[in-house]
Amino acid sequence: MTGFVTWLQESTAGLLTLAGVSIAVLLLLIIRAKLEPFIALIVVGLLTALAAGVPVGSLVGSAQSASDSLLESGFGGVLGHIAAIIGLGTMLGAVLEKSGGAQVLTSALLRAFGEKRAPLAMGIAGLIFGVPVFFDIGIFVLAPLVYVAAKQGGKSILLYCMPLLAGLSVTHAFLPPHPGPVAAAGLLGVDLGWVILMGAFASLPAWFIGGVLFSSWIGKRIDVPVPEEMLAASKQEGPGAATGAPSLGLVSSIIAVPLVLILLGTFGSIWLPSGSTLTGVATFVGTPAVALTITVLLAFWLLGTRRGMTAKDLSELSSTALRPVAMILLVVGAGAFFGTVLAETGIGDAVANSLDSAGLPVILAAYVISCGMRIAQGSATVAIVTTSGIVAPTVAQLGYSQPQLALLVVAIAAGSIIASHVNDGGFWIVSRYFGISVQDTFKTWTVLETILSLVGFGMAALLMVFVS
């Protein structure tokens, strides 16, 4: 028995076995036992640490002091980096949605592109509006406009909804302030400016191939009529018809502000004179939490207060929007704890050495792990957080540059959206909101997500060859 324990805790093969068993138990708890992912991550993290021989005092601390324990430092360390970003990003999306900004933006694009290019307009709307809002919220807000455009065009709704879904999906997966890329950036220690830049390079080709080319091809082969009950509801709601709607320029500017400021902070420190006042200003306003705070305050004033919202309205709007964030943050914190355990036990080093011996690139290994997590349990956020926690100790040994780390984040994010199926809430939202049968949802949405995933990873892997 002593020999087995020594083998498990000290040998590369034993540590890899422990890692494999830990991941298998994690998936069983989430899939079979239906345990909340954040609880499952904590349970597996604790059991893995104990099995690897981590002293109880180091793992959970003591009654007098627990702040430096693996549990508290691992759980809380990353939350200080990302909690404000995710919360502020959620509030920004909520005020843009409430003000009618999404309808203004999409209606303007539909007018500009015309009826023949309405599918392309819907795809661009998904790309733009997908930056500040969650994937499902984007569907809820923009679906009525899809119904109207598809009815006017007299063609399959797939021609109009698939480009929109592709735009919403790639921005949700690859770009901050969405929880997945923000969490991965925090766990891997990469600046969000680089994540935005590399995420854009990967997401735009993925959107074009999946959202434009594939959507056009599949939309001509599968005819799905517009759900009449949804069309009637959209006419009653009158999207975009509200009086005093914000201008297109205002909505576009507010969406652009945080991205521009974050990029300014990232690259200002490279391009501007070191130690200058201008560099300090760029660094300050480009800090993600500061950039999003500035943007949210602007949105509250320009889209809220100036258009008749009271302080109470804005407070209630913020409270409602932030409710789903709690579970996201718990998952991220628990995933960070699991990653900390893997690093502390030496499992990360064992994985790194094994990948090096096998000649398998870390970016490919991260993508495959993320794909497996996504297919097994359905949640993109859980897939990203768990994968980032698994590979973080390995990556720490490799001395990656910021651009390389950002591409690793993109690869993990790409894996997290592959092959959406019945264990993914997004699968059922798409099927329900656009009146697509389960069989046709597999043929369209599942394939679309797989294309977005493969192209996104392909771009990340290609760029990894050229950056240093």
Side-chain angles (χ1 to χ4, degrees), residues 7-101:
W7 172 81
L8 186 69
Q9 297 178 354
E10 298 180 9
S11 70
T12 298
L15 290 170
L16 291 176
T17 300
L18 183 57
V21 171
S22 298
I23 294 169
V25 172
L26 175 64
L27 292 175
L28 283 173
L29 289 176
I30 295 174
I31 298 169
R32 300 296 250 174
K34 306 298 181 185
L35 198 61
E36 283 292 344
F38 90 92
I39 298 177
L41 283 162
I42 292 175
V43 169
V44 173
L46 291 170
L47 293 177
T48 302
L50 292 173
V54 175
V56 172
S58 299
L59 179 59
V60 297
S62 64
Q64 290 73 33
S65 175
S67 60
D68 58 349
S69 67
L70 284 184
L71 179 59
E72 290 203 9
S73 62
F75 199 100
V78 73
L79 293 183
H81 178 71
I82 70 164
I85 299 171
I86 294 176
L88 289 164
T90 302
M91 292 166 68
L92 174 61
V95 72
L96 280 165
E97 173 203 346
K98 187 69 173 180
S99 67

Side-chain angles (χ1 to χ4, degrees), residues 344-401:
E344 184 69 18
T345 56
I347 291 175
D349 292 338
V351 173
N353 294 334
S354 299
L355 290 177
D356 185 58
S357 300
L360 185 66
V362 173
I363 191 171
L364 176 59
Y367 176 70
V368 171
I369 294 170
S370 184
C371 288
M373 288 290 175
R374 157 68 164 188
I375 294 169
Q377 51 78 43
S379 169
T381 301
V382 171
I384 291 176
V385 170
T386 306
T387 304
S388 299
I390 290 170
V391 303
T394 302
V395 174
Q397 311 298 319
L398 301 177
Y400 275 3
S401 66

Side-chain angles (χ1 to χ4, degrees), residues 156 158-159 215-223:
S156 172
L158 295 174
L159 280 168
S215 297
S216 175
W217 180 83
I218 197 68
K220 294 174 182 176
R221 284 159 177 78
I222 299 179
D223 184 27

Side-chain angles (χ1 to χ4, degrees), residues 321-341:
L322 289 173
R323 283 171 193 158
V325 173
M327 186 57 70
I328 293 172
L329 292 178
L330 286 171
V331 170
V332 172
F337 164 62
F338 184 48
T340 302
V341 166

Side-chain angles (χ1 to χ4, degrees), residues 232-259:
S234 72
K235 289 178 180 177
Q236 292 173 3
E237 293 168 7
T243 58
S247 69
L248 174 63
L250 177 59
V251 173
S252 302
S253 298
I254 288 176
I255 292 173
V257 165
L259 301 180

